[in-house]
Amino acid sequence: MKKEYDLIVIGGGAAGLTASGIGASLGAKTLMVEKNKLGGDCTWYGCVPSKVMLHQAKKSSMGASVPFKEVSEKLDSIRKDIYEEADHPDKFRAMGIDVVEGSASFMDPYTIQIEKSGSELREVTGRFIIIATGSQAFVPPIPGVDKTPYLTNHTLFDLKDLPASMVIVGGGPIGTEMAQAFQRLGTKVSVVDMGDRILPKDPSEMTDILKKKLEMEGVEFHLGVSVDSVEGDGSRVRVVISGKEGSGKTGSGQSGTGTNDGKSKVLEAEKLLLATGRRVQLEGLNLEAAGVNYTRKGITVNDACRTSKRHIYAIGDVAGRFQFTHMSEHMAKIAAMNALLKVPMKIDSKHVPWVTYTDPEVAHVGATRSDLEQKQTRFEVYRFPYSMIDRAITDEETEGWIHVYAKKMSGRILGADIVGAHAGELISQYALAMKNGVSLKKMADTIYPYPSYALGARRAADQWYIKNQSLSLVKWIRRLFRYRGALPDLSDPDRII
């Protein structure tokens, strides 16, 4: 039976928008189904509003008085502008894509049912189907949470009044970014996490610099503890924590005082934000009818983004592999090209960058140092401090480091970590180099503009030359050319020039 569409995309977030656009550009008759507004979490509840808030909060930290009403209005304005300019259904209809609002569920491997407004039903068939339903905030089963008002990233950016105090459960990227933003805007913030440090996927030598900065700004940390219970109403919440705190400090602010109850401690605040991770959005899809395998972590896919059914693909957060907008777009390209052009492309999981957009930023790409050490990979660490980047000095942004992990002889880059101003931009230098086989030697030999932050990436690459300097070679050169200078001191393996 001839299918109504060449491609059906379920979900209109970053992954779905990209997949639909590629489908239309390749001449495929494409349908995109989204139950809410196009743009997904990135536009409405994640990347965009969080960065707007961080930007407004930075203005406040620099001495400008930024009323929260203005912050809220700016959030709404920018989200709407991006929606109108990039995500509005008419933009995609103009590309030839059919856009339907509704909830999609499988009836069989090639047929989906779309429910609109709770009653109207429509059945459509497709040769290829891409699932891109994303994820949503995970709410842990904390005693009392079902009776206590709380915020997640889905409700946080709808606040119209600045809370006087806030307890944030979760020391990952969302919790850390919002801790700094609200603290700078005037909220007294406490961060609670069961781990003994923030941003556990990043190296401690990087995250410790950020944590110290946040503490200086007034954020209180209670790390290495468990949340035993929460209770409260719309104006006050009590969070009971217990355990031996591995780090952090407790002050006398509204959110960090409370009382001690034996081994437990009570934190009180006006608002509670749960930043405890994400869970995939599978509800209502009826994947069993399609014969698509999945677990609670997400839909099972191979490196081509193909599910257990050859014509059905899953991309973005719902596939359970990566929870980054840029990886959602990458997976959309992989799936669409495999499905529609039969081009055998695979997910690039070796060069995945991520950034936490705090001040300073924390960024990573490629293999982590701990992974390399666990696999007993032979590598060198090439380091360069922000205190020796002239542009950072002129901007008074000298707190930070660049660490690059690479092979000693070839200079092949295996991974990199950066903490400091514009780390998210600098990490892209290494992502590009790794993807295209550009070694540290080639980076070091490239002309970068002065003074720039990007020059810091090249200066870190320069250290490959420094570490590979040979005293015997220098001696030979001195004899050959009859040079009279002193021999360099190569005794310090961590020297930086």
Side-chain angles (χ1 to χ4, degrees):
M1 184 180 71
K2 188 175 181 180
K3 307 299 186 295
E4 185 176 352
Y5 288 95
D6 298 312
L7 177 65
I8 296 175
V9 179
I10 305 174
L17 295 175
T18 303
S20 298
I22 293 174
S25 71
L26 295 176
K29 184 180 180 182
T30 303
L31 168 68
M32 177 166 51
V33 184
E34 169 56 48
K35 63 180 178 180
N36 298 310
K37 285 186 177 181
L38 295 186
D41 261 33
C42 188
T43 298
W44 298 105
Y45 316 114
C47 308
V48 170
S50 64
K51 303 313 167 276
V52 172
M53 182 163 283
L54 284 165
H55 178 63
Q56 297 301 313
K58 187 167 186 177
K59 289 182 182 180
S60 182
S61 72
M62 297 174 68
S65 178
V66 185
F68 195 73
K69 181 181 179 182
E70 291 185 15
V71 176
S72 176
E73 291 173 350
K74 182 67 70 172
L75 278 170
D76 291 341
S77 174
I78 291 179
R79 284 190 291 186
K80 289 175 182 176
D81 286 348
I82 290 177
Y83 173 73
E84 293 294 334
E85 291 297 320
D87 300 336
H88 194 282
D90 290 346
K91 298 284 183 180
F92 292 88
R93 292 185 179 116
M95 296 168 61
I97 300 168
D98 287 347
V99 182
V100 175
E101 181 180 333
S103 299
S105 61
F106 283 93
M107 299 187 70
D108 62 48
Y110 291 93
T111 308
I112 67 167
Q113 179 178 269
I114 305 171
E115 181 178 357
K116 296 176 62 179
S117 305
S119 57
E120 184 180 346
L121 299 177
R122 175 185 173 187
E123 293 182 11
V124 293
T125 57
R127 290 176 60 189
F128 301 100
I129 300 174
I130 295 179
I131 305 169
T133 49
S135 64
Q136 62 186 23
F138 169 70
V139 178
I142 303 170
V145 74
D146 56 332
K147 300 177 182 178
T148 304
Y150 60 85
L151 299 165
T152 68
N153 69 300
H154 276 248
T155 54
L156 178 68
F157 303 111
D158 292 329
L159 287 176
K160 300 305 178 185
D161 298 303
L162 181 70
S165 53
M166 179 184 292
V167 172
I168 299 177
V169 179
I174 295 175
T176 306
E177 287 183 357
M178 292 302 96
Q180 186 170 55
F182 276 92
Q183 183 72 36
R184 286 181 166 185
L185 289 168
T187 301
K188 188 68 188 77
V189 176
S190 282
V191 176
V192 177
D193 197 284
M194 65 186 300
D196 60 0
R197 62 187 185 88
I198 62 173
L199 302 177
K201 290 185 178 181
D202 295 287
S204 59
E205 58 263 40
M206 302 293 179
T207 60
D208 285 349
I209 292 173
L210 171 60
K211 180 173 174 287
K212 183 183 295 185
K213 177 73 174 292
L214 294 176
E215 287 178 329
M216 289 176 61
E217 294 181 1
V219 177
E220 296 178 354
F221 289 95
H222 302 272
L223 305 179
V225 300
S226 62
V227 179
D228 296 336
S229 65
V230 296
E231 63 176 357
D233 51 29
S235 61
R236 204 71 180 165
V237 64
R238 299 174 76 249
V239 180
V240 181
I241 62 174
S242 66
K244 184 178 181 181
E245 294 189 29
S247 185
K249 63 179 182 180
T250 304
S252 56
Q254 289 180 333
S255 68
T257 55
T259 59
N260 288 317
D261 178 20
K263 295 182 179 180
S264 66
K265 181 181 295 181
V266 179
L267 306 178
E268 295 188 355
E270 186 177 323
K271 295 292 183 181
L272 171 65
L273 170 62
L274 298 180
T276 45
R278 313 281 298 170
R279 66 179 181 88
V280 295
Q281 189 75 270
L282 299 174
E283 291 81 0
L285 285 174
N286 194 24
L287 295 174
E288 291 82 2
V292 172
N293 295 336
Y294 66 94
T295 69
R296 62 181 182 84
K297 293 183 178 180
I299 296 175
T300 305
V301 297
N302 63 14
D303 286 342
C305 298
R306 184 179 287 119
T307 70
S308 52
K309 287 293 182 178
R310 289 188 59 83
H311 68 289
I312 301 178
Y313 297 75
I315 59 177
D317 287 9
V318 76
R321 289 196 176 192
F322 310 96
Q323 293 186 342
F324 307 118
T325 297
H326 45 282
M327 286 306 292
S328 294
E329 294 176 347
H330 171 68
M331 293 177 73
K333 180 179 180 180
I334 300 301
M337 298 298 280
N338 276 290
L340 301 174
L341 290 185
K342 311 305 179 187
V343 175
M345 296 182 67
K346 292 184 177 182
I347 298 170
D348 180 3
S349 58
K350 293 184 178 180
H351 310 118
V352 181
W354 65 71
V355 184
T356 301
Y357 292 94
T358 43
D359 176 16
E361 295 179 353
V362 181
H364 170 84
V365 69
T368 66
R369 182 172 181 173
S370 60
D371 284 344
L372 293 171
E373 291 172 343
Q374 289 175 7
K375 294 177 181 179
Q376 297 184 331
T377 302
R378 299 184 68 178
F379 68 99
E380 290 285 334
V381 181
Y382 301 93
R383 308 181 305 131
F384 199 76
Y386 267 60
S387 59
M388 294 178 68
I389 301 174
D390 288 358
R391 182 55 187 273
I393 294 172
T394 64
D395 290 356
E396 299 181 298
E397 296 281 7
T398 57
E399 191 73 27
W401 279 90
I402 300 172
H403 288 185
V404 185
Y405 319 118
K407 289 292 188 177
K408 180 176 176 60
M409 297 306 296
S410 66
R412 180 167 66 89
I413 305 169
L414 304 174
D417 285 297
I418 306 177
V419 59
H422 306 287
E425 311 302 325
L426 288 176
I427 206 69
S428 300
Q429 296 277 336
Y430 296 109
L432 181 64
M434 292 174 66
K435 179 67 175 177
N436 294 281
V438 177
S439 67
L440 288 180
K441 180 183 183 302
K442 290 181 179 179
M443 285 189 71
D445 293 342
T446 301
I447 301 171
Y448 281 69
Y450 175 91
S452 65
Y453 282 96
L455 185 59
R458 199 220 71 195
R459 292 294 304 277
D462 289 345
Q463 304 312 302
W464 177 85
Y465 272 114
I466 305 304
K467 280 206 170 188
N468 281 282
Q469 191 173 12
S470 167
L471 188 59
S472 60
L473 177 61
V474 175
K475 288 179 178 179
W476 182 83
I477 292 172
R478 287 172 79 244
R479 287 197 304 270
L480 178 64
F481 295 102
R482 298 180 181 178
Y483 294 148
R484 295 167 293 171
L487 287 171
D489 181 8
L490 307 184
S491 60
D492 183 3
D494 293 322
R495 66 194 183 282
I496 295 172
I497 299 177

